[in-house]
Amino acid sequence: LISPLDLQLPTECNVPTYAIHKPRGVLSRTGIDTIGANADANGTSSTFRRTLTDLMVAAGLQPLSKHIGRLDLETGGLILVTADALLLEAALSMPGATSLRASVRPQIDADAIPLDGKEPPFQPLEKTYELLLAGRYQHDAAAIEELRTPLTHSRAGKEHHSEGATVRFIRCFQNEALATEYSLLDCHDEDMNMDGDGDEKSKDGNGDIETVETRRGAIRAERGKTIVSRKTGEPVRPFTPSDGWLTEITVTI
């Protein structure tokens, strides 16, 4: 790691931001899992699920309270945790939306203020996501057009308006393996043996530990089985979501 002091950055840049890989079974939140803590009606024993704070503590880092990005419990990926109010507001596209502002608001050099006395306009970060949609969609399909519709949402009692996303249609393609094995895209072997609470699953009857490849093999074995139709009694192909069709797009917001 390189200290911000070694880089001779301006004072307003000397606030920490961590890039954290959130594994499966970890909540996209900081602090303590209060929902898990209150799940036991008797109040005698509770199941705490791990949070981003637990990851920071385990890595020997000073825990921070604000994060950029939110992933499902069963999804792993990159999340930023920061004490930088300007970065957080830019990523959320909501100026003044964070309580960090008062505590770390930078001192603005008088020479940097425009002649008209106004602060520079707020510049949100542009974010582009690569998506695979299950199914075969044309570029003007209703499901894709809906992504281009402007949104209105509430946060902290205030109403915010967001512009519609810019959607770029890439292609439609058919891939039965990807359509049935998509759940393994961001998996690691350790994820195979953790339950939703981040605890280790019990081994099977043979005492074996499941890996990504053993799960992939089981999926492919099911896909290769001969299935007999209950209606006609004839052999039919195993079910594949959307017949294996996928649509690749990018979404920029």
Side-chain angles (χ1 to χ4, degrees), residues 2-19:
I2 299 177
S3 168
L5 298 178
D6 296 335
L7 299 177
Q8 298 182 343
L9 297 174
T11 303
E12 57 267 27
C13 295
N14 291 337
V15 288
T17 295
Y18 306 145

Side-chain angles (χ1 to χ4, degrees), residues 140-199:
D140 57 351
I144 294 180
E145 286 297 327
E146 188 174 355
L147 297 174
R148 300 186 173 106
T149 304
L151 299 176
T152 300
H153 49 280
S154 297
R155 185 183 180 90
K158 296 182 180 180
E159 189 174 86
H160 300 271
H161 300 274
S162 300
E163 297 180 358
T166 300
V167 181
R168 179 176 172 232
F169 177 87
I170 306 295
R171 60 172 177 153
C172 288
F173 64 100
Q174 198 171 22
N175 187 321
E176 289 190 6
L178 185 57
T180 54
E181 300 170 19
Y182 64 89
S183 61
L184 303 179
L185 285 176
D186 63 344
C187 266
H188 303 277
D189 287 345
E190 56 268 25
D191 298 327
M192 295 290 95
N193 301 285
M194 303 294 286
D195 60 22
D197 295 325
D199 298 321

Side-chain angles (χ1 to χ4, degrees), residues 48-251:
F48 290 87
R49 293 171 295 186
R50 291 187 299 164
T51 68
L52 301 176
T53 297
D54 295 310
L55 300 182
M56 288 182 275
V57 171
L61 299 171
Q62 177 66 34
L64 305 178
S65 62
K66 304 296 182 181
H67 62 90
I68 300 170
R70 184 178 296 276
L71 299 171
D72 294 337
L73 182 66
E74 290 304 310
T75 300
L78 174 67
I79 289 185
L80 299 181
V81 185
T82 186
D84 188 332
L86 300 181
L87 173 61
L88 183 63
E89 292 175 7
L92 296 175
S93 301
M94 296 180 183
T98 171
S99 58
L100 289 176
R101 167 72 72 163
S103 59
V104 299
R105 185 177 179 87
Q107 298 296 322
I108 299 177
D109 188 345
D111 295 333
I113 299 178
L115 296 178
D116 58 8
K118 298 180 180 179
E119 290 191 22
F122 177 76
Q123 295 291 338
L125 294 178
E126 186 176 86
K127 301 174 283 293
T128 298
Y129 301 87
E130 298 178 352
L131 303 181
L132 272 181
L133 308 180
R136 188 176 187 179
Y137 298 95
Q138 299 301 319
H139 67 90
D140 57 351
I144 294 180
E145 286 297 327
E146 188 174 355
L147 297 174
R148 300 186 173 106
T149 304
L151 299 176
T152 300
H153 49 280
S154 297
R155 185 183 180 90
K158 296 182 180 180
E159 189 174 86
H160 300 271
H161 300 274
S162 300
E163 297 180 358
T166 300
V167 181
R168 179 176 172 232
F169 177 87
I170 306 295
R171 60 172 177 153
C172 288
F173 64 100
Q174 198 171 22
N175 187 321
E176 289 190 6
L178 185 57
T180 54
E181 300 170 19
Y182 64 89
S183 61
L184 303 179
L185 285 176
D186 63 344
C187 266
H188 303 277
D189 287 345
E190 56 268 25
D191 298 327
M192 295 290 95
N193 301 285
M194 303 294 286
D195 60 22
D197 295 325
D199 298 321
E200 187 174 354
K201 293 179 179 178
S202 58
K203 299 179 182 179
D204 62 21
N206 298 321
D208 294 332
I209 296 293
E210 187 174 34
T211 67
V212 172
E213 287 308 311
T214 57
R215 175 75 65 85
R216 192 189 312 279
I219 293 174
R220 292 182 176 180
E222 285 294 322
R223 199 168 67 236
K225 286 183 178 179
T226 300
I227 298 177
V228 176
S229 169
R230 293 181 180 180
K231 183 177 182 180
T232 64
E234 299 291 330
V236 295
R237 294 180 57 195
F239 172 75
T240 301
S242 304
D243 287 331
W245 280 99
L246 298 163
T247 302
E248 182 180 1
I249 63 173
T250 64
V251 177

